[in-house]
């Protein structure tokens, strides 16, 4: 066995278990990579979390799409066809794995991998993860840890070698992509990487908008997708608030509320934007609406009202000083 740290990649160690054949494949953007994987914990028992061979079919990713665990692209592009390698990956690379695993398990069971996503927009804790429905994944989600991936590279196909255009993901792939992108956006937001987080949310919104065009407006599936889209737009707006793009936040939230006037989180986010641009009456009106729709948010609303009053008082004091200086 040949153990080596992958060059220029922090937190990854590779051990080749079985050498591959031929030269390193040409992993160009749009290439489709097919592989089997087994995910293990780094405990003494090397507990198996997932195994694609047990599921009965291999995984596919498209190079450049980043719709699954991003570190997999790094791992796969170091391999030759038929190679089997073991990769130790530190926590910086594995934080989103529980969400990916949940989606893969749901799809293997014939369930909708985005069902959880609809219920993760609670106002009290906007970026909290609810249970993933699997005890081992909830544990990983709560306490991220290094993982081991044993990967067997089966095939690498250039974009011209398979039928589907690379940007035209299947419905299943889009449905699988959304919770991954959502989770990655939340992770980046927590790290303060707001530009990158907003990009993840936008990618997820594009997937859902595309799926929504295939449904009849205002029917059950269309409304389900609409709810998911609104959740992602409001998360995107949180990034915009952090970047000072207040008027864009007002535009997005007002658009949501025109069509869905019962979404408390939209009033809350819009209130914060109004407060930043000194729209005192509008901010207070939106916060009152939050209380009406979500009485449990009383403490948060009071905090926002106090912040607003403090900022307004500081502004009034600045204006008084300015007036005195002009008169003086």
């Amino acid at each position: 066995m040949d153990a080596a740290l992958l060059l220029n990649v922090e937190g990854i160690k590779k051990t080749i278990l079985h050498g591959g054949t031929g030269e390193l494949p040409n992993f160009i953007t749009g290439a489709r990579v097919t592989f089997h994987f087994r995910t293990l914990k780094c405990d003494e028992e090397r507990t198996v979390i997932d195994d694609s061979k047990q599921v009965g079919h291999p995984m596919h990713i498209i190079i450049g799409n980043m719709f699954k665990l991003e570190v997999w692209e790094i791992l796969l592009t170091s391999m030759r066809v038929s190679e089997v390698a073991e990769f130790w990956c530190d926590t910086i690379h594995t934080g989103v794995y529980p969400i990916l695993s949940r989606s893969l398990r749901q799809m293997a069971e014939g369930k909708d991998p985005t069902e959880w996503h609809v219920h993760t927009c609670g106002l009290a804790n906007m970026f909290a993860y609810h249970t993933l429905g699997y005890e081992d994944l909830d544990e990983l989600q709560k306490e991220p840890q290094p993982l081991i991936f044993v990967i067997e590279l089966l095939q690498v196909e250039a974009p011209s070698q398979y039928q589907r255009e690379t940007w035209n993901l299947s419905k299943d792939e889009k449905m699988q992509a959304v919770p991954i992108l959502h989770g990655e956006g939340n992770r980046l937001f927590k790290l303060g990487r707001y530009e990158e987080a907003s990009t993840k949310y936008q990618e997820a919104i594009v997937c859902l908008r595309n799926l929504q065009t295939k449904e009849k407006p205002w029917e059950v599936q269309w409304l389900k997708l609409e709810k998911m889209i609104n959740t992602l737009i409001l998360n995107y707006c949180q990034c915009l608030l952090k970047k000072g793009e207040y008027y864009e936040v007002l535009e997005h939230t007002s658009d949501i509320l025109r069509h869905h006037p019962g979404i408390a989180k939209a009033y809350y986010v819009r209130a914060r934007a109004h407060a930043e641009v000194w729209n005192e009456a509008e901010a207070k009106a939106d916060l009152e609406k939050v209380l009406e729709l979500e009485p449990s948010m009383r403490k948060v609303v009071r905090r926002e009202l106090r912040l607003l009053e403090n900022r307004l008082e500081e502004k009034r004091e600045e204006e008084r000083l300015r007036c005195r200086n002009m008169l003086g």
Side-chain angles (χ1 to χ4, degrees), residues 24-296:
L24 197 69
N26 188 13
F27 293 99
I28 61 172
T29 298
R32 182 168 68 178
V33 182
T34 305
F35 61 100
H36 273 300
F37 75 95
R38 187 164 70 254
T39 306
L40 312 167
K41 286 187 176 180
C42 294
D43 54 12
E44 287 184 13
E45 296 79 16
R46 287 169 62 93
T47 304
V48 177
I49 300 171
D50 293 300
D51 188 335
S52 63
K53 288 187 177 179
Q54 287 187 356
V55 172
H57 55 80
M59 279 286 292
H60 304 279
I61 69 167
I62 307 297
I63 297 296
N65 271 354
M66 298 294 189
F67 274 157
K68 297 183 173 69
L69 195 67
E70 292 190 16
V71 72
W72 274 354
E73 188 166 311
I74 298 170
L75 310 184
L76 288 162
T77 53
S78 76
M79 300 178 71
R80 290 174 167 78
V81 173
S82 299
E83 180 181 325
V84 180
E86 179 175 303
F87 298 89
W88 175 89
C89 295
D90 205 353
T91 311
I92 57 171
H93 300 293
T94 62
V96 184
Y97 184 78
I99 304 172
L100 168 64
S101 176
R102 198 267 184 189
S103 291
L104 295 175
R105 293 181 189 186
Q106 291 291 90
M107 292 185 76
E109 294 165 14
K111 298 177 183 176
D112 179 354
T114 62
E115 190 64 39
W116 74 282
H117 179 101
V118 177
H119 306 291
T120 59
C121 55
L123 187 57
N125 192 352
M126 293 176 191
F127 293 97
Y129 292 109
H130 292 204
T131 178
L132 296 174
Y134 300 90
E135 192 174 333
D136 59 337
L137 300 184
D138 284 339
E139 180 191 335
L140 281 178
Q141 181 84 329
K142 189 175 180 181
E143 297 181 17
Q145 56 191 264
L147 295 174
I148 294 167
F149 299 108
V150 179
I151 295 177
E152 178 184 359
L153 180 58
L154 301 176
Q155 188 177 33
V156 179
E157 299 168 278
S160 59
Q161 291 178 301
Y162 62 96
Q163 294 294 315
R164 183 174 51 83
E165 296 289 355
T166 58
W167 60 84
N168 186 22
L169 295 174
S170 70
K171 179 180 177 179
D172 283 349
E173 285 176 313
K174 288 191 179 79
M175 293 297 270
Q176 183 178 313
V178 169
I180 309 304
L181 290 166
H182 188 179
E184 183 66 4
N186 291 355
R187 185 185 72 82
L188 292 165
F189 185 94
K190 288 179 183 177
L191 294 172
R193 291 157 63 179
Y194 305 119
E195 190 66 44
E196 293 169 80
S198 64
T199 298
K200 295 296 180 185
Y201 294 138
Q202 285 175 304
E203 287 180 30
I205 291 165
V206 168
C207 277
L208 291 171
R209 289 284 192 214
N210 185 277
L211 289 169
Q212 200 180 36
T213 61
K214 297 171 175 61
E215 303 295 337
K216 192 170 181 179
W218 302 104
E219 293 202 346
V220 174
Q221 186 61 19
W222 188 95
L223 286 169
K224 178 186 174 183
L225 294 168
E226 180 79 353
K227 187 172 184 179
M228 294 165 68
I229 289 166
N230 289 336
T231 298
L232 286 158
I233 290 172
L234 291 171
N235 283 7
Y236 174 67
C237 285
Q238 297 279 12
C239 298
L240 295 178
L241 284 173
K242 293 290 187 180
K243 297 192 293 178
E245 304 287 347
Y246 307 123
Y247 289 102
E248 189 175 345
V249 173
L250 292 176
E251 183 180 334
H252 287 306
T253 50
S254 296
D255 185 59
I256 288 174
L257 290 168
R258 269 192 295 274
H259 298 96
H260 308 281
I263 300 179
K265 182 176 174 180
Y267 285 107
Y268 177 76
V269 174
R270 190 171 72 174
R272 292 183 60 197
H274 275 310
E276 292 292 344
V277 295
W278 307 107
N279 295 338
E280 179 183 1
E282 291 87 345
K284 288 181 176 178
D286 278 349
L287 289 171
E288 288 297 323
K289 195 68 179 176
V290 172
L291 269 185
E292 179 188 322
L293 293 167
E294 290 273 0
S296 62

Side-chain angles (χ1 to χ4, degrees), residues 315 317-327:
K315 186 184 180 188
E317 182 61 29
E318 286 175 9
E319 288 173 352
R320 284 194 289 268
L321 287 170
R322 193 179 303 114
C323 288
R324 280 202 293 269
N325 290 335
M326 288 173 65
L327 290 171

